[in-house]
Amino acid sequence: MVSTDYLTARDGDSGFIGDIRAFPVQITTFFGQTTEALMRHYFAWSYEVTAMAKARGTRYVLISDNSMAIRPEPTVRRVVAELIDTGPPEAATLIAATFVVYESALVRGAVTAIQWLSNRNWNLTTVPSVQHGITAALAKLTAEGIALPVGLSAETYRVPTIPDGPQIRPR
């Protein structure tokens, strides 16, 4: 159902890694100043994850690591708001929580601006690191009575580096 449980993509100096190998936890790591093509690619995959959760009848948790991201351009921020608003409506009920890591006040400000453009409640919780996000995600899953993923822990998780490819090209 999901094209891959570990998606790497790159567009110039930016990229992301989407990882659901420890589902019901989705960890996405963003690098550089994301592009519209890259965000469209990410959201297409993310919609597949939502469809998989729906088919399995389970909620899941997102961790978005933006610690290595650069503030996106206004046009990209608008596209992100649009993709969230036009995405699967069931995402609002299937995503139990979203934990977001920011190193940059500029990126945090950009995400706040995107939320103003969006019609949906994002239910974001800021955490200081992916490790804190994992701890919070596992606690949320436990509180909801959702089976914990095997092998995921804050102690053993290692933040990935920017992927080498494949390159994403605008359509």
Side-chain angles (χ1 to χ4, degrees):
M1 181 178 297
V2 176
S3 57
T4 182
D5 61 356
Y6 191 83
L7 178 65
T8 64
R10 188 156 177 171
D11 188 8
D13 292 334
S14 64
F16 76 85
I17 296 173
D19 187 353
I20 57 167
R21 293 176 297 176
F23 193 80
V25 175
Q26 174 185 326
I27 302 173
T28 306
T29 309
F30 292 96
F31 304 90
Q33 186 177 45
T34 193
T35 64
E36 180 179 338
L38 202 59
M39 291 313 296
R40 289 188 183 282
H41 190 64
Y42 163 74
F43 274 96
W45 175 78
S46 186
Y47 297 163
E48 291 178 13
V49 175
T50 300
M52 180 186 74
K54 182 179 180 183
R56 292 183 181 182
T58 190
R59 290 168 46 101
Y60 64 107
V61 176
L62 298 177
I63 300 171
S64 180
D65 181 2
N66 296 288
S67 63
M68 294 170 277
I70 297 171
R71 182 182 178 157
E73 295 291 329
T75 54
V76 175
R77 295 194 299 261
R78 241 185 328 278
V79 166
V80 170
E82 168 196 313
L83 292 170
I84 288 171
D85 288 349
T86 60
E90 59 271 15
T93 56
L94 290 172
I95 298 171
T98 301
F99 300 98
V100 184
V101 180
Y102 301 114
E103 292 279 322
S104 164
L106 291 174
V107 173
R108 184 173 40 254
V111 172
T112 299
I114 295 168
Q115 289 179 59
W116 293 336
L117 296 171
S118 175
N119 295 315
R120 291 196 182 172
N121 177 3
W122 291 17
N123 190 24
L124 299 181
T125 302
T126 302
V127 291
S129 69
V130 177
Q131 286 73 20
H132 284 89
I134 290 169
T135 299
L138 297 176
K140 178 66 173 175
L141 293 173
T142 299
E144 297 241 346
I146 299 169
L148 297 178
V150 176
L152 179 64
S153 75
E155 295 77 28
T156 60
Y157 181 80
R158 297 295 172 254
V159 176
T161 59
I162 189 168
D164 290 331
Q167 290 283 329
I168 301 301
R169 298 289 176 225
R171 294 180 185 172

